[in-house]
Amino acid sequence: MDKMAPSTLRLGPAPGLNACVFTARRPLAGGGRALMLYLHPGTFTEGSCAAAEARCELLAEAGADVVALDYPLAPEHPFPASLVAAFEALQAIAAKPAKLVGSVQTALFVAGEEAGGNIAAALALMARDQRAPALAGQLLISPMLDPQLGSASMREGECGDSQCIYAKGWQAYLGDCTRADHPYATPLNASRLAGLAPALVLSVAGHPLNDEAVRYASALREHGGSARGLTLPALTSELMLAPIHDFLSQATRQALTNPA
């Protein structure tokens, strides 16, 4: 199918944050629409929805209506600025799904990659704690979840010292070290992981972030959640499309059949 240029909108309190909208390019099995707030990668300090266009196109091809947010970046905006802004954006799109996708039969998802995966996971925690908005699922792609950087995959990737991109990103995001204990800042360290939206956690074999992705999926299951962890050889369209489409279809069907 031919690509369509994304549209743009402003989300959250005035003046709002820029967001790019990518319309789903295939129907979900079982019907319904999957409206997804997507948070881009960039170790909390860089990136944009425009720079993540290829990933958003892939998600649209998998069946999601994607709203990609330009969230505030560290160090100018440390935790919790980006999370607060993302939650406001999530509330905004949850309030008008029919206006965005043209259907009231819509399920709401959060998704993110790397630093964006951290924020997406934290959004799922916030939505549970505040009992709104109701999420159908969370898609986490190689999420940054552990500021300790002590995993085997980090060491094997020769990452984890103070000069690596992940260490610099965490320092910029967390600022003073007391924030590292907050579950919204480091979801992998959260003591309460029950009651969260179903998750698909994708990672790459041999990537520095692989171990923490695998650990988070396992932790979600240990707390009674529905979470599939999938380690892929690479994050390519050929390998990602089918599992994401299946996840969106199943989670959307479940959410619309059994609304919260």
Side-chain angles (χ1 to χ4, degrees):
M1 185 179 296
D2 292 338
K3 292 183 179 181
M4 297 175 59
S7 59
T8 60
L9 74 162
R10 308 290 292 186
L11 290 174
L17 296 174
N18 181 63
C20 304
V21 182
F22 300 78
T23 302
R25 300 210 179 87
R26 67 188 292 193
L28 299 176
R33 302 289 286 266
L35 178 58
M36 174 184 288
L37 180 67
Y38 173 78
L39 293 313
H40 62 75
T43 61
F44 301 110
T45 62
E46 57 185 9
S48 66
C49 62
E53 182 171 341
R55 182 68 77 228
C56 295
E57 297 279 4
L58 183 152
L59 296 172
E61 187 63 33
D65 291 284
V66 182
V67 179
L69 182 69
D70 275 338
Y71 57 85
L73 299 176
E76 291 81 3
H77 303 284
F79 174 83
S82 58
L83 178 60
V84 170
F87 192 71
E88 290 171 344
L90 183 65
Q91 291 175 309
I93 67 173
K96 53 181 180 182
K99 183 176 180 180
L100 286 168
V101 303
S103 173
V104 295
Q105 289 294 101
T106 300
L108 185 63
F109 291 78
V110 291
E113 185 165 356
E114 196 228 45
N118 173 293
I119 299 170
L123 287 175
L125 290 168
M126 289 185 71
R128 177 203 61 189
D129 294 344
Q130 300 194 24
R131 301 182 183 275
L135 294 180
Q138 51 181 320
L139 170 63
L140 311 178
I141 305 171
S142 293
M144 275 179 72
L145 298 169
D146 183 8
Q148 299 302 316
L149 305 178
S151 70
S153 62
M154 275 286 170
R155 294 193 301 271
E156 291 165 3
E158 298 183 352
C159 294
D161 63 49
S162 62
Q163 296 304 307
C164 87
I165 59 169
Y166 303 114
K168 291 180 178 179
W170 277 116
Q171 177 59 39
Y173 185 57
L174 296 178
D176 72 82
C177 62
T178 60
R179 295 174 175 175
D181 293 333
H182 199 294
Y184 293 170
T186 57
L188 186 58
N189 297 327
S191 59
R192 294 177 54 248
L193 291 174
L196 295 173
L200 174 61
V201 186
L202 301 179
S203 59
V204 179
H207 190 280
L209 294 172
N210 181 58
D211 284 0
E212 52 205 81
V214 171
R215 284 173 56 203
Y216 195 61
S218 177
L220 292 174
R221 292 191 297 270
E222 289 171 2
H223 284 79
S226 172
R228 181 188 182 193
L230 186 59
T231 300
L232 301 171
L235 293 178
T236 64
S237 297
E238 293 77 11
L239 296 173
M240 296 173 69
L241 274 175
I244 293 176
H245 176 75
D246 291 347
F247 171 68
L248 294 175
S249 296
Q250 181 177 351
T252 297
R253 183 168 56 246
Q254 178 69 24
L256 296 179
T257 302
N258 300 298

